[in-house]
Amino acid sequence: MAGIEPCPDNVLQRLKPGIVLLNFAASQFAQQHQNHGRLADDIWLDRTQGNPPPEEVARFEAAYEARRAAWTADPAFLSAIGRLQGVGVDWAFSHESDVSGEFSLLRLYIAADDLGALEELAAENAGYVTPEAKASAAERFRIFMLRNYHPDWRRNRQLYADVGGSPYAAPATWSRET
């Protein structure tokens, strides 16, 4: 397995509860329910272009299997995934292909009804401990989502004051206008 690294920081960042919550909530606004009330979020890992020759597909598949083996033995990956699983997030590695090429991804799933438990984890992860602080963060998150991800976001920007970025993300990551 030479050359295969443990789970990289950019993927571990995508597995933070606040980011996973944002992606699932945005998916819910986009009405992209999958499998009877379940939401999905894909983390793209690798891809080829077009219709690659068989040798390239074989290398791609071998790298996919090596990555999967390395990551499922990586304590940081297992810890991040375990926290998400504890609130109802399922996951799977996937290797798929279509006319645009071969691609591998890590797919996260959650029942739409379990978003509250994920938000609770995101709040704890962001340091909100009191019920009041959690309720305030939840309201700011709701407004943030309505202003930025709702299909009628332009109207919502007139209805709701700017609350900054997601309260579950570090303020340094917020864009100027949210």
Side-chain angles (χ1 to χ4, degrees):
M1 246 190 320
I4 297 297
E5 301 290 325
C7 186
D9 286 340
N10 67 324
V11 174
L12 292 173
Q13 290 297 314
R14 283 284 314 274
L15 295 175
K16 286 188 172 185
I19 294 173
V20 173
L21 173 66
L22 186 137
N23 289 329
F24 281 139
S27 176
Q28 188 176 36
F29 275 144
Q31 300 176 347
Q32 296 176 355
H33 291 274
Q34 313 235 346
N35 300 328
H36 307 289
R38 290 175 57 83
L39 302 168
D41 179 32
D42 292 340
I43 301 173
W44 296 89
L45 304 175
D46 200 6
R47 73 172 301 126
T48 66
Q49 295 297 317
N51 189 13
E55 312 79 53
E56 186 178 347
V57 171
R59 281 192 303 275
F60 184 82
E61 289 173 350
Y64 164 79
E65 291 299 333
R67 177 185 298 114
R68 187 171 69 171
W71 289 13
T72 55
D74 178 3
F77 176 79
L78 294 173
S79 174
I81 285 292
R83 292 185 72 213
L84 295 172
Q85 284 180 298
V87 295
V89 176
D90 294 323
W91 63 280
F93 284 102
S94 183
H95 173 234
E96 300 175 11
S97 64
D98 63 19
V99 294
S100 67
E102 305 278 325
F103 51 95
S104 64
L105 53 97
L106 176 63
R107 182 165 287 150
L108 306 175
Y109 301 95
I110 193 168
D113 293 342
D114 289 340
L115 284 177
L118 179 58
E119 186 165 8
E120 180 75 21
L121 179 62
E124 291 170 10
N125 198 63
Y128 300 107
V129 292
T130 67
E132 296 81 15
K134 289 177 181 181
S136 174
E139 179 63 12
R140 289 193 325 271
F141 183 72
R142 185 184 72 77
I143 293 170
F144 169 75
M145 294 302 296
L146 288 169
R147 286 179 49 92
N148 293 284
Y149 294 94
H150 190 275
D152 207 2
W153 64 270
R154 284 185 183 91
R155 181 180 64 85
N156 290 338
R157 285 193 175 199
Q158 295 172 354
L159 294 174
Y160 301 101
D162 185 357
V163 293
S166 169
Y168 306 124
T173 65
W174 296 354
S175 64
R176 290 180 190 250
E177 170 61 34
T178 54

